[in-house]
Amino acid sequence: MQNDMKSTIQAAVADAVEKATGRQLELLGRQLELLEKVVQFLGIEPGPTRVASAPKRASVPSPAPKRPSSVPVRKWVKPEAAPKPTRTKAAPQARRGRPRAAGRATTVAAPNSSPSPATSVAYEVGQEVRYKQGRGSFSAKVKSIDAKAKTVTVERVSDNKQVVRPFDKVTPA
């Protein structure tokens, strides 16, 4: 009984496989016809070997042959650009950003070595002056003078606020 059942199953499977391969061959046949038409249209001569039926599979797939380790793997290499023409004279490189304080350093160093004209100007209490703070310039009156620290305390005319400023930021009005 088992033998009959086994042979029945085998027959059914073989029949199903045969139908499936027959359908695949039919589809392959249609594709081959289309390929032959394309070949004729392009004017290419077909090769000597034609496949009439689908190739049979090997029962055990063979592993891909390994490459010997001595054979280098070819990798994609970016094509090199043509070398740029060399310049005969080096162009000066433009600097970006704020310029160095080289010019300012010399003017700052000079007052330390000799008495500056700002210190020689004697401010008097109540004198009208102008002083710089931030981006603005303001009118003010002198309130007090500190010669040792070289600063002047001034009172703004606009809002009566008292501000301490160095001598070099204050000018007589």
Side-chain angles (χ1 to χ4, degrees):
M1 174 116 170
Q2 280 183 334
N3 223 3
D4 289 338
M5 188 74 117
K6 187 177 178 183
S7 62
T8 306
I9 292 173
Q10 284 179 343
V13 169
D15 191 36
V17 169
E18 195 173 311
K19 284 181 183 177
T21 54
R23 176 74 178 142
Q24 287 177 349
L25 287 175
E26 184 180 326
L27 290 173
L28 273 174
R30 289 182 192 166
Q31 289 176 348
L32 282 174
E33 289 174 16
L34 288 173
L35 285 173
E36 285 177 0
K37 288 180 182 178
V38 169
V39 166
Q40 287 175 354
F41 177 74
L42 293 174
I44 301 171
E45 293 198 22
T49 57
R50 286 194 168 185
V51 179
S53 64
K56 295 189 177 186
R57 284 186 157 205
S59 60
V60 177
S62 61
K66 288 194 175 184
R67 207 175 50 245
S69 61
S70 62
V71 177
V73 176
R74 183 165 191 149
K75 294 184 178 179
W76 182 79
V77 179
K78 190 174 186 180
E80 292 185 25
K84 293 181 180 179
T86 57
R87 295 181 181 173
T88 56
K89 196 176 204 182
Q93 193 173 11
R95 292 188 181 192
R96 295 169 61 183
R98 241 177 130 170
R100 288 188 177 177
R104 286 182 269 155
T106 56
T107 57
V108 172
N112 293 341
S113 59
S114 65
S116 67
T119 56
S120 64
V121 173
Y123 294 108
E124 297 174 6
V125 177
Q127 178 183 358
E128 292 221 6
V129 292
R130 289 196 57 83
Y131 72 94
K132 294 180 183 178
Q133 184 162 358
R135 295 185 178 190
S137 181
F138 303 95
S139 297
K141 287 188 177 181
V142 176
K143 283 293 184 183
S144 66
I145 303 164
D146 187 359
K148 189 175 183 181
K150 298 181 182 178
T151 58
V152 180
T153 304
V154 295
E155 184 179 303
R156 254 189 283 200
V157 174
S158 60
D159 61 354
N160 296 332
K161 182 177 181 182
Q162 289 191 359
V163 181
V164 178
R165 300 299 294 149
F167 283 159
D168 59 340
K169 299 288 183 180
V170 180
T171 56

